[in-house]
Amino acid sequence: MSAIRLLVLGAVRMHGRAHGYQVRNDLEYWGAHEWSNAKPGSIYHALKQMAKQGLLLAHETAPSTAGGPPRTEYEVTEAGLDEYRALLRDAIRSYDRNMDVLSAAVGFIVDLPREEAVALLKERIEGIREWRDAVTEYYTPEEGPESLGHIGEIMNLWVHSADSGAEWTRGLIARIEGGAYTFAGEGDPFVGVLAEGEENPYATGVPDPGDND
Amino acid sequence: MSAIRLLVLGAVRMHGRAHGYQVRNDLEYWGAHEWSNAKPGSIYHALKQMAKQGLLLAHETAPSTAGGPPRTEYEVTEAGLDEYRALLRDAIRSYDRNMDVLSAAVGFIVDLPREEAVALLKERIEGIREWRDAVTEYYTPEEGPESLGHIGEIMNLWVHSADSGAEWTRGLIARIEGGAYTFAGEGDPFVGVLAEGEENPYATGVPDPGDND
DNA sequence: ACCCTCGTAGTCAAACTTGACTAGCAGCTC
DNA sequence: GAGCTGCTAGTCAAGTTTGACTACGAGGGT
């Protein structure tokens, strides 16, 4: 599963009501185009698809107030909210070798109660441990790891990266348990969206982090 | 770019001439279905697509010798070999936040001369360093990193993972420079494909590494 | 008045991916 | 010798992703 649905649902929800271009701008503001497949086509596709599936409610709105073609505004439905929370919990809990889903989830993690966030992150660590054990066993033939030749380096890479992921997760748990950030029900939430008309401070004029996909 | 083209080209090349099912088996043998999108549909699609583009030559072959429908065998063309080498070099050299392309490339790295492998890996480290610098600067606003709130954790995750990737790369360079593995032009290469009729020792009966994508 | 550029908002075809499905043959059992 | 299972080999429709493209209007210059 890609991160696009979680990102789009989360962005629309933070606005209450948003059109595609606004979502697109938020995601750029968050740098999501750097670490996920948040491109215009994907965003508009996800909006339409989720509207068709009843996760979003589409309002055909009047022509833009700021030039350009008319735009459609979306709102998250009850079902959409359920889906959002399910995706969010799942993204935090389960170890996926692609970091985009996790990155998106970290962006929304404060939407959960602090205790739940910590619990999910601990589940994550446990999942990494299980995955690591299974992989090392799977890739350790009877004749010893040498019989794999350089292929063993692939396993080495995964295990290295799993360990690194676990370490980062432990660090995050420590910071959250230490009182960092403002979680659900703890007062004014951190606002990470661009208001109508507000300009994106990261949009341009900044050295490009070298997109070498 | 996904890893599928590199994987398929590499697998066909190792056989000299292979049909889709053979490629599919090799990729399972390598565990590629665990860490890349190497599913039947993708493999057959890639084969057809690359045949259409002249990277592979398709032979319409007689019905299978072992039951089942007739099969098409493929061979890598000159252009396909160029493409293979370009993909391989690029995958080793450039830092991509998805590990599947790199994993595939590690599987084929011994296809290059030892010196070139090391040189490409050093380029990779340099690329990681540049990417890291750009990202940390991009995500360090004037008001200090605290103004990002929990969003800063996303950057933290990337940087952590970049550092881990660099560390793994340095380790691999050290092992290669220390004489590990057999590279191009150094004698009998390591053979990592299944011959016709050979059974896949990892195919079944092994604990599944828990696919929680 | 006219043109040019820039930002806004979104569409589209082509390519790729996914997961379920089909169909043929071998060997076994009953 | 009929039916069943399991392996071989691949197809297909539905969904997703990509990157290039379109169209509209504001504002500035001339």
Side-chain angles (χ1 to χ4, degrees):
Chain A
M1 189 222 20
S2 87
I4 192 78
R5 283 173 159 248
L6 177 56
L7 284 169
V8 168
L9 277 174
V12 171
R13 201 180 90 84
M14 288 182 100
H15 282 287
R17 201 183 219 251
H19 51 89
Y21 193 66
Q22 231 164 349
V23 172
R24 197 171 152 180
N25 261 339
D26 282 344
L27 297 191
E28 192 190 352
Y29 179 40
W30 302 343
H33 56 292
E34 291 290 342
W35 44 263
S36 77
N37 56 338
K39 326 211 171 167
S42 302
I43 294 168
Y44 288 108
H45 173 73
L47 284 168
K48 282 189 181 158
Q49 197 65 18
M50 294 199 293
K52 212 165 81 184
Q53 293 171 358
L55 306 179
L56 292 176
L57 184 62
H59 304 272
E60 302 289 338
T61 321
S64 162
T65 61
R71 55 206 193 179
T72 311
E73 291 194 325
Y74 295 89
E75 236 175 322
V76 180
T77 64
E78 268 319 302
L81 200 53
D82 288 351
E83 174 76 358
Y84 166 71
R85 287 203 252 260
L87 288 175
L88 177 54
R89 294 196 169 103
D90 223 62
I92 297 174
R93 175 167 38 216
S94 67
Y95 179 53
D96 186 332
R97 270 72 63 222
N98 290 340
M99 276 193 342
D100 57 345
V101 182
L102 177 60
S103 301
V106 169
F108 298 127
I109 197 171
V110 293
D111 218 14
L112 299 169
R114 190 177 292 265
E115 295 74 29
E116 184 175 4
V118 170
L120 291 170
L121 288 167
K122 285 182 176 169
E123 273 192 71
R124 177 181 187 78
I125 288 186
E126 181 57 21
I128 294 177
R129 206 187 52 69
E130 280 171 21
W131 180 85
R132 188 193 199 286
D133 290 352
V135 163
T136 49
E137 193 190 348
Y138 185 88
Y139 265 77
T140 305
E142 290 77 29
E143 313 91 76
E146 290 74 25
S147 73
L148 283 173
H150 68 285
I151 298 294
E153 291 290 352
I154 296 179
M155 187 202 70
N156 199 339
L157 169 59
W158 303 343
V159 169
H160 201 276
S161 123
D163 289 346
S164 155
E167 192 189 316
W168 174 84
T169 308
R170 278 191 290 272
L172 180 57
I173 290 176
R175 287 189 286 282
I176 293 177
E177 285 184 331
Y181 315 122
T182 307
F183 282 75
E186 299 181 347
D188 294 346
F190 181 85
V191 179
V193 295
L194 295 163
E196 187 89 27
E198 186 181 358
E199 74 178 275
N200 181 350
Y202 302 115
T204 44
V206 177
D208 189 309
D211 212 353
N212 41 12
D213 283 3
Chain B
M1 190 221 19
S2 87
I4 192 78
R5 282 174 161 247
L6 177 56
L7 284 169
V8 169
L9 277 174
V12 172
R13 202 180 89 84
M14 288 182 100
H15 283 286
R17 202 182 220 250
H19 51 90
Y21 193 67
Q22 231 163 350
V23 172
R24 198 171 151 180
N25 262 339
D26 282 343
L27 298 191
E28 192 189 353
Y29 179 41
W30 302 342
H33 56 293
E34 292 290 343
W35 46 262
S36 77
N37 55 337
K39 327 210 169 168
S42 301
I43 293 168
Y44 289 109
H45 173 74
L47 284 168
K48 282 190 181 158
Q49 196 65 17
M50 293 197 295
K52 214 166 78 183
Q53 294 170 358
L55 305 179
L56 292 175
L57 185 61
H59 303 272
E60 302 289 338
T61 321
S64 162
T65 60
R71 55 206 192 180
T72 311
E73 291 193 325
Y74 295 90
E75 234 175 324
V76 180
T77 63
E78 267 319 302
L81 199 53
D82 288 350
E83 174 76 357
Y84 166 72
R85 287 205 251 261
L87 287 176
L88 176 54
R89 294 195 168 105
D90 223 60
I92 297 174
R93 176 168 35 214
S94 68
Y95 178 53
D96 187 330
R97 270 72 64 221
N98 290 341
M99 277 190 345
D100 58 345
V101 181
L102 177 59
S103 301
V106 168
F108 297 128
I109 196 170
V110 293
D111 219 14
L112 299 170
R114 190 178 291 266
E115 296 73 30
E116 184 176 4
V118 170
L120 291 170
L121 288 167
K122 287 184 176 168
E123 273 191 71
R124 175 180 189 78
I125 288 186
E126 181 57 21
I128 295 176
R129 206 188 51 70
E130 280 170 20
W131 181 84
R132 188 194 200 285
D133 289 352
V135 163
T136 49
E137 193 191 348
Y138 185 88
Y139 266 77
T140 305
E142 289 78 28
E143 314 91 75
E146 291 74 23
S147 72
L148 283 174
H150 68 284
I151 297 295
E153 290 290 352
I154 296 179
M155 185 202 71
N156 200 339
L157 170 60
W158 302 343
V159 169
H160 200 275
S161 126
D163 289 346
S164 156
E167 192 188 317
W168 173 84
T169 307
R170 278 190 291 270
L172 180 56
I173 290 175
R175 287 189 286 282
I176 293 177
E177 284 184 332
Y181 315 120
T182 306
F183 282 76
E186 299 180 348
D188 294 346
F190 181 86
V191 178
V193 295
L194 296 163
E196 188 90 25
E198 185 181 358
E199 74 177 275
N200 180 351
Y202 302 117
T204 44
V206 177
D208 190 308
D211 214 351
N212 42 13
D213 282 4

